[in-house]
Amino acid sequence: MTKALDSSLSQRILWLLLGVGLTVTVFLAYEALHYTRKGHSQRPPVAEGQAKSAVDDQVNSAWVLEGTPRLQTTHFFKTSDGKISAGLWEATGPAKFEWHYGTDETVLVLEGGAKLTYNGTTREVGPGQSIYFPAKAVVVWEVPARIKKTWVLHEPGRVARRLRPLLGG
């Protein structure tokens, strides 16, 4: 009798694994099809130069915690599909504000510094340091005087956005 139960359990586990494998395969095929149907080729997108002078930018007033931050942004380029862009950003304080990230961002601090708080951890950043912020992150920026950074925004994609909460990211 136990052999029959063991065999039945083994078959159920096998069917479960096959079902999970098939589901993941179909999901990935759907994502690939969705990506290519939007007109994306298999070649990397070409960046279009967008050298512009610095423009005044603003922090959402609901995000300002202290002071009156003054921001300036300069865009370097944006890919033709709009998923990657880069430029310079400068904040002048003293000010303390939240920043809500809509896409992934990688930065390199060029001048000045700031104190950043993310997920309960605070760290000071200065020239030569690079930082990565995932989409949906909320970071508190405390700028005592000034910080200037380069930035690259990169859309993580639908699969990454869906899997990150499951993977603790």
Side-chain angles (χ1 to χ4, degrees):
M1 189 73 168
T2 59
K3 276 190 172 183
L5 285 175
D6 287 342
S7 175
S8 174
L9 182 61
S10 295
Q11 286 179 347
R12 287 182 183 178
I13 291 173
L14 180 61
W15 281 110
L16 175 68
L17 292 175
L18 285 171
V20 168
L22 182 60
T23 301
V24 168
T25 302
V26 168
F27 178 75
L28 292 176
Y30 167 79
E31 287 293 320
L33 184 63
H34 177 74
Y35 183 78
T36 56
R37 279 199 176 157
K38 286 173 53 176
H40 300 293
S41 66
Q42 293 184 8
R43 287 177 271 130
V46 176
E48 298 173 9
Q50 302 207 352
K52 298 180 181 175
S53 57
V55 295
D56 290 335
D57 206 348
Q58 291 185 352
V59 177
N60 180 326
S61 61
W63 301 351
V64 176
L65 305 173
E66 294 174 13
T68 307
R70 289 172 298 173
L71 308 179
Q72 286 201 317
T73 303
T74 305
H75 290 266
F76 290 158
F77 74 87
K78 189 176 211 175
T79 56
S80 57
D81 67 358
K83 291 190 174 194
I84 302 171
S85 60
L88 286 173
W89 180 85
E90 185 173 351
T92 305
K96 185 176 182 179
F97 55 91
E98 293 179 345
W99 198 264
H100 298 244
Y101 291 84
T103 61
D104 288 357
E105 181 173 340
T106 304
V107 307
L108 173 66
V109 178
L110 300 173
E111 301 171 7
K115 198 181 291 186
L116 307 178
T117 303
Y118 174 62
N119 280 348
T121 302
T122 300
R123 82 180 245 205
E124 291 190 33
V125 296
Q129 291 184 297
S130 61
I131 311 120
Y132 164 77
F133 304 105
K136 297 186 178 180
V138 177
V139 178
V140 174
W141 285 74
E142 191 171 341
V143 180
R146 178 177 167 269
I147 185 168
K148 186 174 188 177
K149 65 177 179 135
T150 62
W151 52 267
V152 177
L153 299 177
H154 34 97
E155 174 56 45
R158 293 171 12 151
V159 174
R161 284 180 181 265
R162 288 182 182 152
L163 290 178
R164 282 182 179 165
L166 300 173
L167 301 173

